[in-house]
Amino acid sequence: MKSASQTRLLAVLLAVLTLAAMALGVANLMQEAAFNPPTDGIRWSEVDGGLKAYIVPADTPGGRAGIKRGDVLSAVTGANLQPADSVHWSEVDSGLKGFTASPDSATNPTNHSVIKQGNLPAASSVRVKRIASLERQMEAIGTWQHATYTIERQTSTHRMTSLDIGLILEPSDRTDYQVKRMIALVYLAIGLYVLFRRWGAPKSIHFFVFCLTSFVLYAFHYTGTLDGLDQTTFWLNEAALLLQPAMFLHFAMTFDGEATRRELRGLGVLVYLPALVLASLRFASLRLWAPTERLQHRLDQFDYAYLAGFYVLAAIIFWARYRSESKPLERQQLKWLTRGTLLTVAPFTAFYVIPFLADWNTPGILTKIAILSLILLPLTFSWAIVRYRLMDVDLIFKRGVTYTLATAALVGVYFGVIAVTAEFVHNNLPGLRSWGLVAAVIVAGLLFDPLKRMIQGRVDRIFDRKRFDYRETLIDFGKELNAQTDLRTLVGSIVERLPQTMLLTRVAVFLADDFGRFNLVASHGLGDNVRNRPLDLGFLDFSRNGEDSHIYFEGPHALLRLPDGQRETAISLDLNYYVPCRAARHEGRGKSTVAVLGLGRTGEGDFLSSEDMVLLESLAGYIGIAIQNAQLYERLTRKALEFERLRDFNENIVESINIGVFALDLDDRVESWNAQMEVMYATPRAEALRKTISEVFPAEFVQEFDRIRSEQGVVTLYKFRLHTPAGEARTANITVAPLLNKDFEAVGRIILVDDITDRVNMEAQLSQSEKLSSIGLLAAGVAHEVNTPLAVISSYAQMLGKQLRADDASQARLQPVLDKIIQQTFRASEIASGLLNFSRMGTVDFASTELNAVVRETTLLLEHQMRSGGVAVLTDLSGDTPIISGNRGKLQQVLVNLVLNAKDALQDKGSGQVKITTRRTESGAAELLVEDNGGGMPPEVVARIFDPFFTTKSTPKEGQRKGTGLGLSVTYGIIQEHHGIIEVSSVVGEGTTFRLEFPAETPDGRQKKASAKQEGIEVNV
């Protein structure tokens, strides 16, 4: 530890050195401004016979005049044109062109007269063997004056030739000097800033001396006046050039701690040995040896090689330390040091040092870029040293400098505005002289505040870079927080990012539960003994504090006022700051504390500044909103999952029931459409949703729906005939009910469609079967009872007819009567036989039957009868019609009944055709179609054609028999015996089609169902 007297002595010494350096820098600048000798821009070396050019930059007077590297200068002739005649000269092809030089410009042409080479003004010629004589001759000629160089040049044939080359001497280009002076001021300002900011920090004194040395290096320049000031400037600049690289390398070697400084203490001394050697060589070259230009140039090259080499070595050391460092603070500092050093060393070495060592002609723009890169080094060094040490004292100093600069700038702007406004009023509005000044003051006063804010913002951005960096970090962190919706990940991100951003050693997040109690949910730097024990966090009560307040515990003495349990908790947490994270209440009144951030000190043991707390409170607002959003998202996710589960459950119920269900909104648009509706109505859900009911359903349903729209409650349409888009006709019970919300308000309608088509068909089948069964039993009894008397009547009538004699006229009259009795008994017997067949009292034998063969036999049997009736029979028999199991005679009887019925239907037309078709269905069954093009049947007839004793045949004429009405009933019974299906479709005026389907015979000889339909009749009109 340094004593107070040592500290004061060191402060006084640094202050004296700083003030002396600044005073010498100002004196050097003034001397340089007063003395600017002309130059040709060429680097000469002394050789036998004159001066030899070894560096000839292209953008210098010598380079533009055509002087080349290797040329030997023997004499210089100058035209002694005085400034009083206002004529200066420029080189042209034929000689010199005269132009007038204004005091502030050398390129202001006034005439274009050309003086021939032989008509030059009077001139004086001087032979040059030393650089000093060349400099004296150029000073005698003057700036912007014409000079003629006598040059000895070696040609391609290795012969020497003498040339006279004219050029215009220009003032020395000292732009680089001004840039270096600006860099010197930056070094000095940053050094002072760091020194005031971190006086007691490690390496702060070293860094300030380094900055002061850099100020001398870049601000002091040798002018050539050769007086005491110039000599002092030269040697101080040389000393700074030799010390600065060594100090920089020493800084790099000892940056990371006391242990490293002890290990490298011996090497630290060796770092300065090259500087001592180079200083000795420079002194010997000037005092003991001949100080030739060539020798001085070589020593300059050694100096810059040494400078660049030490810079590169320091960059390598910083990079190696950065890669191996594990501590976050040192690693962060080393990262900036490495970057700043590389960004400085790379362009400076590549564009300045290497071309200087190799005597290359480098473009001026690259040289300026290399010099400007030097400013990055002090900026990054100051950033690395002060980046994470933030105290309110620093803020006072920083803001004092800031407001001083801002006030000075504003005062200048203020009086400038007043002066300009007053001058304008004085010259243009003479009648407002005094009032104009008052107006100027008022205008300046109005402009003062916005100008102050503008300048203050710019100055803050320059001198308060850390604050803006925090704000950028805050914005980036806020964006990340807003994008995070998982609460656990969010709090984990908070305790991870805050220590990285502010280098805090301990961070904790306390989350409020539903009862307002806080619980530790995430932490960084806290021990397991804290996380695994119950915590009494009652002191986190922000209801007594202001909206933007925070709790601050400076040390253990600040915890004495807390109850015992809370004090033990606060001591175990060892956190100094508790910042509330607030968010708006759900009910919209005020804000609630949803979480609390607990923060400790920095890695160096520093407390946070008031500026840090302002930024942290702003960040706490982001965190509070993000946590509330994450909690709301979590609740919403749970609600959504619950709603999704309930919706899936309800949808499963709706989808599972065997009833079509769809819902309409108040605009009669379909909002839901279950799977049963897709199957029954043959319309996919996607084609039905969001369409109006008139776009989905046929007009008759829409008409019925409009009719019952105004009725209240539930309305049912029983056995409604609904035609589907697939061309089917379905029978359904349709129930329409209002769709109500939880407030019992109608939001639409729900329609239940119960498809009862199969049930209606089954009922019809059962009714038909019951009817036929009862009639069959009756027919069997009647047939047995009637057959006996019919047989007796028929026998006696035949016997009586045989006994009558033909020659007896009275008996001959009785013969026709007996014939009619016998005919009617035969007819009655046929009816009885038909009744017996209808009742199926006999047994039927089944065998493998080819349906095509049955068709061929039947058509051959009926060929004569059909031809005599004028009816054509066409057949279309498919070769892949399957074999069925059936009774050949019964099947032939079915086909005969259908063909004869078709013939009877065509009798009224006098001609027509019957087409018989066989084929295999998609399900593998055998299908038989009997089609005619007769007059067809109305729907009411089609509905009864299978009823027993129902016939449409006309009253028989004499000698003809009327149909019994049992043919199709018997046909229906035979089809049932064969487990088949019979369907009839008829259109009045177009014809009738009977479709029969029989199951194919299986390999084991058993029949299988031809389709999923029940056995029976399906009638399509």
Side-chain angles (χ1 to χ4, degrees), residues 772-787 831-841 949:
L772 294 179
S773 177
S774 60
I775 293 176
L777 293 174
L778 175 63
V782 171
H784 280 289
E785 296 298 329
V786 171
N787 273 338
I831 292 173
S833 298
L835 290 175
L836 286 175
N837 289 332
F838 176 74
S839 63
R840 295 177 293 172
M841 296 301 294
F949 306 109

PDB file of all heavy atoms in Angstrom, residues 772-787 831-841 949:
ATOM      1  N   LEU A 772     -97.165 -62.018 -47.111  1.00  0.00           N
ATOM      2  CA  LEU A 772     -97.037 -63.199 -47.965  1.00  0.00           C
ATOM      3  C   LEU A 772     -97.140 -64.482 -47.158  1.00  0.00           C
ATOM      4  O   LEU A 772     -97.682 -65.491 -47.631  1.00  0.00           O
ATOM      5  CB  LEU A 772     -95.695 -63.151 -48.707  1.00  0.00           C
ATOM      6  CG  LEU A 772     -95.530 -62.020 -49.722  1.00  0.00           C
ATOM      7  CD1 LEU A 772     -94.152 -62.087 -50.358  1.00  0.00           C
ATOM      8  CD2 LEU A 772     -96.619 -62.078 -50.793  1.00  0.00           C
ATOM      9  N   SER A 773     -96.631 -64.446 -45.927  1.00  0.00           N
ATOM     10  CA  SER A 773     -96.695 -65.653 -45.110  1.00  0.00           C
ATOM     11  C   SER A 773     -98.144 -65.998 -44.753  1.00  0.00           C
ATOM     12  O   SER A 773     -98.568 -67.159 -44.865  1.00  0.00           O
ATOM     13  CB  SER A 773     -95.864 -65.445 -43.838  1.00  0.00           C
ATOM     14  OG  SER A 773     -95.955 -66.567 -42.999  1.00  0.00           O
ATOM     15  N   SER A 774     -98.872 -64.977 -44.338  1.00  0.00           N
ATOM     16  CA  SER A 774    -100.273 -65.233 -43.983  1.00  0.00           C
ATOM     17  C   SER A 774    -101.081 -65.646 -45.202  1.00  0.00           C
ATOM     18  O   SER A 774    -101.901 -66.582 -45.148  1.00  0.00           O
ATOM     19  CB  SER A 774    -100.891 -64.002 -43.336  1.00  0.00           C
ATOM     20  OG  SER A 774    -100.833 -62.909 -44.234  1.00  0.00           O
ATOM     21  N   ILE A 775    -100.802 -64.983 -46.333  1.00  0.00           N
ATOM     22  CA  ILE A 775    -101.533 -65.345 -47.554  1.00  0.00           C
ATOM     23  C   ILE A 775    -101.116 -66.743 -48.009  1.00  0.00           C
ATOM     24  O   ILE A 775    -101.925 -67.530 -48.512  1.00  0.00           O
ATOM     25  CB  ILE A 775    -101.276 -64.314 -48.649  1.00  0.00           C
ATOM     26  CG1 ILE A 775    -101.918 -62.978 -48.243  1.00  0.00           C
ATOM     27  CG2 ILE A 775    -101.809 -64.773 -49.988  1.00  0.00           C
ATOM     28  CD1 ILE A 775    -101.639 -61.868 -49.215  1.00  0.00           C
ATOM     29  N   GLY A 776     -99.846 -67.059 -47.804  1.00  0.00           N
ATOM     30  CA  GLY A 776     -99.381 -68.392 -48.204  1.00  0.00           C
ATOM     31  C   GLY A 776    -100.072 -69.482 -47.418  1.00  0.00           C
ATOM     32  O   GLY A 776    -100.465 -70.517 -47.974  1.00  0.00           O
ATOM     33  N   LEU A 777    -100.218 -69.279 -46.096  1.00  0.00           N
ATOM     34  CA  LEU A 777    -100.923 -70.275 -45.276  1.00  0.00           C
ATOM     35  C   LEU A 777    -102.379 -70.416 -45.710  1.00  0.00           C
ATOM     36  O   LEU A 777    -102.931 -71.527 -45.811  1.00  0.00           O
ATOM     37  CB  LEU A 777    -100.842 -69.881 -43.808  1.00  0.00           C
ATOM     38  CG  LEU A 777     -99.440 -69.940 -43.177  1.00  0.00           C
ATOM     39  CD1 LEU A 777     -99.483 -69.396 -41.759  1.00  0.00           C
ATOM     40  CD2 LEU A 777     -98.908 -71.362 -43.185  1.00  0.00           C
ATOM     41  N   LEU A 778    -102.993 -69.234 -45.952  1.00  0.00           N
ATOM     42  CA  LEU A 778    -104.386 -69.256 -46.411  1.00  0.00           C
ATOM     43  C   LEU A 778    -104.509 -69.950 -47.755  1.00  0.00           C
ATOM     44  O   LEU A 778    -105.411 -70.774 -47.984  1.00  0.00           O
ATOM     45  CB  LEU A 778    -104.923 -67.823 -46.489  1.00  0.00           C
ATOM     46  CG  LEU A 778    -106.328 -67.660 -47.067  1.00  0.00           C
ATOM     47  CD1 LEU A 778    -107.357 -68.370 -46.171  1.00  0.00           C
ATOM     48  CD2 LEU A 778    -106.675 -66.186 -47.191  1.00  0.00           C
ATOM     49  N   ALA A 779    -103.524 -69.629 -48.652  1.00  0.00           N
ATOM     50  CA  ALA A 779    -103.575 -70.217 -49.991  1.00  0.00           C
ATOM     51  C   ALA A 779    -103.412 -71.721 -49.936  1.00  0.00           C
ATOM     52  O   ALA A 779    -104.063 -72.475 -50.692  1.00  0.00           O
ATOM     53  CB  ALA A 779    -102.497 -69.592 -50.860  1.00  0.00           C
ATOM     54  N   ALA A 780    -102.526 -72.193 -49.067  1.00  0.00           N
ATOM     55  CA  ALA A 780    -102.322 -73.642 -48.959  1.00  0.00           C
ATOM     56  C   ALA A 780    -103.608 -74.338 -48.502  1.00  0.00           C
ATOM     57  O   ALA A 780    -104.009 -75.387 -49.037  1.00  0.00           O
ATOM     58  CB  ALA A 780    -101.166 -73.913 -47.982  1.00  0.00           C
ATOM     59  N   GLY A 781    -104.243 -73.737 -47.487  1.00  0.00           N
ATOM     60  CA  GLY A 781    -105.493 -74.363 -47.012  1.00  0.00           C
ATOM     61  C   GLY A 781    -106.592 -74.327 -48.062  1.00  0.00           C
ATOM     62  O   GLY A 781    -107.301 -75.325 -48.278  1.00  0.00           O
ATOM     63  N   VAL A 782    -106.710 -73.140 -48.723  1.00  0.00           N
ATOM     64  CA  VAL A 782    -107.752 -73.008 -49.752  1.00  0.00           C
ATOM     65  C   VAL A 782    -107.490 -73.974 -50.898  1.00  0.00           C
ATOM     66  O   VAL A 782    -108.410 -74.617 -51.435  1.00  0.00           O
ATOM     67  CB  VAL A 782    -107.829 -71.566 -50.242  1.00  0.00           C
ATOM     68  CG1 VAL A 782    -108.736 -71.447 -51.466  1.00  0.00           C
ATOM     69  CG2 VAL A 782    -108.325 -70.662 -49.128  1.00  0.00           C
ATOM     70  N   ALA A 783    -106.219 -74.092 -51.278  1.00  0.00           N
ATOM     71  CA  ALA A 783    -105.887 -74.970 -52.412  1.00  0.00           C
ATOM     72  C   ALA A 783    -106.258 -76.412 -52.107  1.00  0.00           C
ATOM     73  O   ALA A 783    -106.807 -77.132 -52.961  1.00  0.00           O
ATOM     74  CB  ALA A 783    -104.385 -74.836 -52.731  1.00  0.00           C
ATOM     75  N   HIS A 784    -105.965 -76.864 -50.871  1.00  0.00           N
ATOM     76  CA  HIS A 784    -106.307 -78.254 -50.516  1.00  0.00           C
ATOM     77  C   HIS A 784    -107.819 -78.458 -50.478  1.00  0.00           C
ATOM     78  O   HIS A 784    -108.332 -79.501 -50.925  1.00  0.00           O
ATOM     79  CB  HIS A 784    -105.698 -78.606 -49.165  1.00  0.00           C
ATOM     80  CG  HIS A 784    -104.238 -78.954 -49.269  1.00  0.00           C
ATOM     81  ND1 HIS A 784    -103.782 -80.129 -49.846  1.00  0.00           N
ATOM     82  CD2 HIS A 784    -103.122 -78.270 -48.881  1.00  0.00           C
ATOM     83  CE1 HIS A 784    -102.460 -80.164 -49.801  1.00  0.00           C
ATOM     84  NE2 HIS A 784    -102.032 -79.021 -49.218  1.00  0.00           N
ATOM     85  N   GLU A 785    -108.509 -77.458 -49.916  1.00  0.00           N
ATOM     86  CA  GLU A 785    -109.952 -77.588 -49.785  1.00  0.00           C
ATOM     87  C   GLU A 785    -110.662 -77.449 -51.124  1.00  0.00           C
ATOM     88  O   GLU A 785    -111.705 -78.077 -51.356  1.00  0.00           O
ATOM     89  CB  GLU A 785    -110.493 -76.546 -48.799  1.00  0.00           C
ATOM     90  CG  GLU A 785    -110.011 -76.712 -47.382  1.00  0.00           C
ATOM     91  CD  GLU A 785    -110.458 -78.041 -46.783  1.00  0.00           C
ATOM     92  OE1 GLU A 785    -111.534 -78.536 -47.162  1.00  0.00           O
ATOM     93  OE2 GLU A 785    -109.710 -78.586 -45.940  1.00  0.00           O
ATOM     94  N   VAL A 786    -110.130 -76.625 -52.023  1.00  0.00           N
ATOM     95  CA  VAL A 786    -110.805 -76.369 -53.305  1.00  0.00           C
ATOM     96  C   VAL A 786    -110.487 -77.442 -54.327  1.00  0.00           C
ATOM     97  O   VAL A 786    -111.315 -77.795 -55.179  1.00  0.00           O
ATOM     98  CB  VAL A 786    -110.410 -74.976 -53.823  1.00  0.00           C
ATOM     99  CG1 VAL A 786    -110.905 -74.758 -55.247  1.00  0.00           C
ATOM    100  CG2 VAL A 786    -110.964 -73.901 -52.902  1.00  0.00           C
ATOM    101  N   ASN A 787    -109.283 -78.014 -54.252  1.00  0.00           N
ATOM    102  CA  ASN A 787    -108.875 -78.985 -55.264  1.00  0.00           C
ATOM    103  C   ASN A 787    -109.809 -80.201 -55.291  1.00  0.00           C
ATOM    104  O   ASN A 787    -110.107 -80.764 -56.359  1.00  0.00           O
ATOM    105  CB  ASN A 787    -107.435 -79.454 -55.016  1.00  0.00           C
ATOM    106  CG  ASN A 787    -106.428 -78.525 -55.688  1.00  0.00           C
ATOM    107  OD1 ASN A 787    -106.778 -77.819 -56.634  1.00  0.00           O
ATOM    108  ND2 ASN A 787    -105.199 -78.531 -55.208  1.00  0.00           N
ATOM    109  N   ILE A 831    -105.345 -71.970 -60.558  1.00  0.00           N
ATOM    110  CA  ILE A 831    -105.231 -70.995 -59.457  1.00  0.00           C
ATOM    111  C   ILE A 831    -104.822 -71.715 -58.180  1.00  0.00           C
ATOM    112  O   ILE A 831    -103.964 -71.248 -57.419  1.00  0.00           O
ATOM    113  CB  ILE A 831    -106.543 -70.248 -59.281  1.00  0.00           C
ATOM    114  CG1 ILE A 831    -106.800 -69.341 -60.509  1.00  0.00           C
ATOM    115  CG2 ILE A 831    -106.545 -69.419 -58.001  1.00  0.00           C
ATOM    116  CD1 ILE A 831    -108.162 -68.677 -60.493  1.00  0.00           C
ATOM    117  N   ALA A 832    -105.419 -72.844 -57.912  1.00  0.00           N
ATOM    118  CA  ALA A 832    -105.069 -73.601 -56.717  1.00  0.00           C
ATOM    119  C   ALA A 832    -103.621 -74.046 -56.764  1.00  0.00           C
ATOM    120  O   ALA A 832    -102.896 -74.010 -55.757  1.00  0.00           O
ATOM    121  CB  ALA A 832    -106.018 -74.797 -56.551  1.00  0.00           C
ATOM    122  N   SER A 833    -103.180 -74.488 -57.973  1.00  0.00           N
ATOM    123  CA  SER A 833    -101.762 -74.891 -58.095  1.00  0.00           C
ATOM    124  C   SER A 833    -100.841 -73.707 -57.857  1.00  0.00           C
ATOM    125  O   SER A 833     -99.770 -73.826 -57.241  1.00  0.00           O
ATOM    126  CB  SER A 833    -101.524 -75.481 -59.489  1.00  0.00           C
ATOM    127  OG  SER A 833    -102.301 -76.640 -59.673  1.00  0.00           O
ATOM    128  N   GLY A 834    -101.261 -72.517 -58.414  1.00  0.00           N
ATOM    129  CA  GLY A 834    -100.457 -71.321 -58.162  1.00  0.00           C
ATOM    130  C   GLY A 834    -100.391 -70.982 -56.696  1.00  0.00           C
ATOM    131  O   GLY A 834     -99.353 -70.560 -56.170  1.00  0.00           O
ATOM    132  N   LEU A 835    -101.529 -71.144 -55.987  1.00  0.00           N
ATOM    133  CA  LEU A 835    -101.523 -70.884 -54.552  1.00  0.00           C
ATOM    134  C   LEU A 835    -100.594 -71.837 -53.820  1.00  0.00           C
ATOM    135  O   LEU A 835     -99.898 -71.457 -52.866  1.00  0.00           O
ATOM    136  CB  LEU A 835    -102.944 -70.992 -54.000  1.00  0.00           C
ATOM    137  CG  LEU A 835    -103.908 -69.873 -54.423  1.00  0.00           C
ATOM    138  CD1 LEU A 835    -105.328 -70.174 -53.912  1.00  0.00           C
ATOM    139  CD2 LEU A 835    -103.434 -68.535 -53.879  1.00  0.00           C
ATOM    140  N   LEU A 836    -100.575 -73.089 -54.266  1.00  0.00           N
ATOM    141  CA  LEU A 836     -99.664 -74.045 -53.636  1.00  0.00           C
ATOM    142  C   LEU A 836     -98.204 -73.668 -53.900  1.00  0.00           C
ATOM    143  O   LEU A 836     -97.356 -73.770 -53.009  1.00  0.00           O
ATOM    144  CB  LEU A 836     -99.951 -75.453 -54.170  1.00  0.00           C
ATOM    145  CG  LEU A 836    -101.232 -76.117 -53.641  1.00  0.00           C
ATOM    146  CD1 LEU A 836    -101.474 -77.460 -54.337  1.00  0.00           C
ATOM    147  CD2 LEU A 836    -101.123 -76.345 -52.141  1.00  0.00           C
ATOM    148  N   ASN A 837     -97.938 -73.254 -55.133  1.00  0.00           N
ATOM    149  CA  ASN A 837     -96.555 -72.823 -55.424  1.00  0.00           C
ATOM    150  C   ASN A 837     -96.173 -71.584 -54.599  1.00  0.00           C
ATOM    151  O   ASN A 837     -95.048 -71.449 -54.127  1.00  0.00           O
ATOM    152  CB  ASN A 837     -96.400 -72.500 -56.896  1.00  0.00           C
ATOM    153  CG  ASN A 837     -96.431 -73.761 -57.761  1.00  0.00           C
ATOM    154  OD1 ASN A 837     -96.064 -74.843 -57.301  1.00  0.00           O
ATOM    155  ND2 ASN A 837     -96.887 -73.622 -58.996  1.00  0.00           N
ATOM    156  N   PHE A 838     -97.110 -70.669 -54.468  1.00  0.00           N
ATOM    157  CA  PHE A 838     -96.846 -69.458 -53.695  1.00  0.00           C
ATOM    158  C   PHE A 838     -96.565 -69.780 -52.227  1.00  0.00           C
ATOM    159  O   PHE A 838     -95.709 -69.178 -51.593  1.00  0.00           O
ATOM    160  CB  PHE A 838     -98.059 -68.522 -53.816  1.00  0.00           C
ATOM    161  CG  PHE A 838     -97.932 -67.280 -52.972  1.00  0.00           C
ATOM    162  CD1 PHE A 838     -97.072 -66.271 -53.346  1.00  0.00           C
ATOM    163  CD2 PHE A 838     -98.672 -67.144 -51.801  1.00  0.00           C
ATOM    164  CE1 PHE A 838     -96.958 -65.141 -52.570  1.00  0.00           C
ATOM    165  CE2 PHE A 838     -98.551 -66.007 -51.032  1.00  0.00           C
ATOM    166  CZ  PHE A 838     -97.700 -65.004 -51.413  1.00  0.00           C
ATOM    167  N   SER A 839     -97.297 -70.745 -51.695  1.00  0.00           N
ATOM    168  CA  SER A 839     -97.101 -71.111 -50.286  1.00  0.00           C
ATOM    169  C   SER A 839     -95.835 -71.915 -50.073  1.00  0.00           C
ATOM    170  O   SER A 839     -95.448 -72.155 -48.940  1.00  0.00           O
ATOM    171  CB  SER A 839     -98.317 -71.900 -49.781  1.00  0.00           C
ATOM    172  OG  SER A 839     -98.435 -73.121 -50.514  1.00  0.00           O
ATOM    173  N   ARG A 840     -95.142 -72.386 -51.150  1.00  0.00           N
ATOM    174  CA  ARG A 840     -93.871 -73.103 -51.072  1.00  0.00           C
ATOM    175  C   ARG A 840     -93.958 -74.273 -50.107  1.00  0.00           C
ATOM    176  O   ARG A 840     -93.139 -74.428 -49.216  1.00  0.00           O
ATOM    177  CB  ARG A 840     -92.744 -72.172 -50.640  1.00  0.00           C
ATOM    178  CG  ARG A 840     -92.443 -71.078 -51.641  1.00  0.00           C
ATOM    179  CD  ARG A 840     -91.377 -70.134 -51.137  1.00  0.00           C
ATOM    180  NE  ARG A 840     -91.864 -69.367 -49.998  1.00  0.00           N
ATOM    181  CZ  ARG A 840     -91.110 -68.574 -49.266  1.00  0.00           C
ATOM    182  NH1 ARG A 840     -89.831 -68.433 -49.531  1.00  0.00           N
ATOM    183  NH2 ARG A 840     -91.626 -67.919 -48.250  1.00  0.00           N
ATOM    184  N   MET A 841     -94.919 -75.026 -50.327  1.00  0.00           N
ATOM    185  CA  MET A 841     -95.097 -76.170 -49.451  1.00  0.00           C
ATOM    186  C   MET A 841     -94.144 -77.302 -49.795  1.00  0.00           C
ATOM    187  O   MET A 841     -93.834 -78.138 -48.968  1.00  0.00           O
ATOM    188  CB  MET A 841     -96.546 -76.694 -49.559  1.00  0.00           C
ATOM    189  CG  MET A 841     -97.570 -75.668 -49.083  1.00  0.00           C
ATOM    190  SD  MET A 841     -97.340 -75.171 -47.390  1.00  0.00           S
ATOM    191  CE  MET A 841     -97.716 -76.710 -46.561  1.00  0.00           C
ATOM    192  N   PHE A 949    -102.245 -61.363 -55.733  1.00  0.00           N
ATOM    193  CA  PHE A 949    -103.534 -61.098 -56.370  1.00  0.00           C
ATOM    194  C   PHE A 949    -103.673 -59.663 -56.870  1.00  0.00           C
ATOM    195  O   PHE A 949    -104.762 -59.244 -57.236  1.00  0.00           O
ATOM    196  CB  PHE A 949    -104.714 -61.411 -55.419  1.00  0.00           C
ATOM    197  CG  PHE A 949    -104.666 -62.792 -54.852  1.00  0.00           C
ATOM    198  CD1 PHE A 949    -104.362 -62.994 -53.518  1.00  0.00           C
ATOM    199  CD2 PHE A 949    -104.920 -63.898 -55.670  1.00  0.00           C
ATOM    200  CE1 PHE A 949    -104.308 -64.259 -53.006  1.00  0.00           C
ATOM    201  CE2 PHE A 949    -104.873 -65.170 -55.143  1.00  0.00           C
ATOM    202  CZ  PHE A 949    -104.556 -65.373 -53.806  1.00  0.00           C
TER     203      PHE A 949
END
